Amino acid sequence: MDSTSSTAESATDKVPDWAIVLTAVAAVIISILGFFGNLLTILALPYPTRLRNAATYLVVNLAVAEGIFCVTILPISAAHLFTLYMTSGKPLFDDRGCNVFVFLRYVNIQAELLSIAAIAVNRCVLIAIPKQYPRLFSGPKTAGLIAAIWLVSGLVMTVPLLEARQSSSKMQSNNSLLKNGASSSDPRLNKPRVGLRTRDIRIARTIGVIFLAFMICCTPVSIAHYFDSKMHMPTLLLLLHPLYWAQYCINIFIYVFMNNQYRDAYVNYISRWWPNFKEVSRKTLKWKEEATSDNSRRPSRAATPNTSSRFNVRKISKCSLAKITNVETPGTSNEPPGTPQLMPKGATPDLADTCL
């Protein structure tokens, strides 16, 4: 089947039963947490109008890929491990079933990696060429990008399925290339251009932490796979898989702790079904809602007068100064009729006294 099953299957007599059971239980727990966490992300993030943008929909697509993994691949992996434990090494599927399982697994992984890469490109475009961002990541283009992610992921894994064999070395090289591409964009994310909104900077930092968590979860398993052919350590390789699977359920915690707007989206969405959740969050989690959480518009700042406004102010000020300078006591002026005069205190000016 996959790397987990092949490890336990090829050396069942060398892997202790407790390691098989522990990994299977971990797969079940991560599957449950990942399913509900990613489902909440899919429903909550697009709920506020202000978050309905390309970055959010790419994050939602990542949650879809991770949610599918949690409800399909992880339960099957857990069932396979329990079968190995109860039957002393008999696999859950035959060769054909294993090939189909591997195909589905790597299509999902490929979609996850491409989604992460698309999010990285999205943030880099916003930082590097912000003026082109609305054109490059419009609604239709973002939808086409998401569709292309899944189409390419399926096509890439079709050839190994037809050849009826695994291509783990090829997938590992692809994964390393995507990881390097994602990590190479981090320095640019850490140095945004002047003028970016605080929201965009926070989202970029959140995505950067997601990349870091992805590397932490995947690197130990990749290293163990590399040395397993030389040192043959199936127990360690098996026990490292829960760490690899953890990436499918930790993103929601990253969103909650790193991004205030995402956190508000979760709290406000849950409050639709649990009205007291906001109050509970304020007391137990010290949650404080941002001023823009309930509407899509930011609070207005003090307006800065534009050029025409400043010109009008100066013009009026000069006109008023001229009136004051040229005014004499009423009734003693030698100026022709119609010249603005200083009005007595409390008097009501007529239209002739207005400087237009």
Side-chain angles (χ1 to χ4, degrees):
M1 289 177 66
D2 58 357
S3 56
T4 309
S5 58
S6 61
T7 301
E9 202 174 316
S10 61
T12 306
D13 54 337
K14 298 182 181 180
V15 178
D17 291 342
W18 65 267
I20 298 176
V21 174
L22 180 62
T23 305
V25 172
V28 173
I29 295 175
I30 295 173
S31 174
I32 296 173
L33 293 178
F35 168 71
F36 287 105
N38 286 293
L39 179 62
L40 181 59
T41 299
I42 295 169
L43 297 176
L45 292 194
Y47 177 64
T49 305
R50 74 183 186 282
L51 290 182
R52 295 174 187 174
N53 50 51
T56 297
Y57 287 120
L58 290 174
V59 170
V60 168
N61 183 64
L62 176 62
V64 170
E66 294 177 345
I68 293 175
F69 190 95
C70 291
V71 298
T72 57
I73 306 302
L74 285 181
I76 295 176
S77 298
H80 179 71
L81 290 172
F82 281 125
T83 302
L84 292 177
Y85 170 74
M86 292 184 294
T87 60
S88 300
K90 184 178 179 181
L92 181 64
F93 298 120
D94 56 12
D95 292 340
R96 184 176 181 83
C98 288
N99 291 332
V100 174
F101 175 81
V102 169
F103 171 77
L104 296 176
R105 180 177 186 268
Y106 282 109
V107 165
N108 189 268
I109 293 176
Q110 192 76 17
E112 180 201 13
L113 295 175
L114 291 177
S115 297
I116 293 177
I119 294 172
V121 172
N122 176 274
R123 295 294 92 188
C124 288
V125 169
L126 178 63
I127 294 172
I129 46 176
K131 293 183 178 180
Q132 301 296 328
Y133 181 83
R135 180 178 64 85
L136 295 177
F137 284 93
S138 62
K141 290 183 178 179
T142 302
L145 176 61
I146 293 174
I149 287 174
W150 289 97
L151 181 61
V152 171
S153 300
L155 292 177
V156 166
M157 293 308 303
T158 299
V159 175
L161 177 66
L162 297 178
E163 292 178 355
R165 63 186 181 186
Q166 298 186 24
S167 55
S168 58
S169 60
K170 182 178 179 181
M171 289 302 302
Q172 289 174 5
S173 63
N174 290 340
N175 294 351
S176 63
L177 289 175
L178 287 173
K179 293 173 190 175
N180 293 335
S183 60
S184 64
S185 64
D186 287 348
R188 302 179 71 180
L189 293 176
N190 293 332
K191 297 180 180 180
R193 285 188 174 184
V194 177
L196 285 178
R197 290 176 295 180
T198 304
R199 184 201 67 177
D200 299 321
I201 298 175
R202 286 184 300 188
I203 294 178
R205 290 175 179 173
T206 302
I207 301 305
V209 174
I210 292 175
F211 295 153
L212 179 62
F214 177 82
M215 296 296 293
I216 292 175
C217 293
C218 295
T219 301
V221 177
S222 301
I223 295 176
H225 270 292
Y226 175 78
F227 287 104
D228 183 64
S229 59
K230 302 177 180 179
M231 304 177 61
H232 197 61
M233 40 188 180
T235 302
L236 176 62
L237 184 60
L238 185 64
L239 292 176
L240 283 176
H241 275 79
L243 176 62
Y244 171 77
W245 293 332
Q247 64 178 298
Y248 295 97
C249 67
I250 64 175
N251 283 345
I252 183 175
F253 300 103
I254 296 176
Y255 299 147
V256 168
F257 288 106
M258 288 292 299
N259 192 288
N260 293 334
Q261 289 188 323
Y262 286 174
R263 179 167 60 249
D264 291 349
Y266 288 124
V267 173
N268 290 329
Y269 186 81
I270 296 176
S271 299
R272 295 180 59 192
W273 317 104
W274 182 7
N276 295 330
F277 185 73
K278 285 187 178 181
E279 188 64 26
V280 173
S281 300
R282 291 189 182 99
K283 291 181 179 179
T284 61
L285 303 178
K286 306 300 181 182
W287 169 74
K288 184 178 180 180
E289 188 175 16
E290 288 190 337
T292 59
S293 295
D294 293 332
N295 53 67
S296 59
R297 302 187 64 180
R298 294 179 177 272
S300 58
R301 299 179 181 177
T304 303
N306 54 27
T307 305
S308 60
S309 300
R310 290 195 296 267
F311 175 78
N312 291 334
V313 171
R314 288 196 297 266
K315 184 176 179 181
I316 295 173
S317 299
K318 291 180 179 178
C319 182
S320 301
L321 182 60
K323 288 192 297 184
I324 296 174
T325 304
N326 296 326
V327 163
E328 296 181 2
T329 306
T332 63
S333 175
N334 296 324
E335 297 295 332
T339 302
Q341 302 292 329
L342 181 65
M343 300 299 297
K345 186 175 181 181
T348 303
D350 57 15
L351 294 179
D353 297 326
T354 305
C355 182
L356 298 178

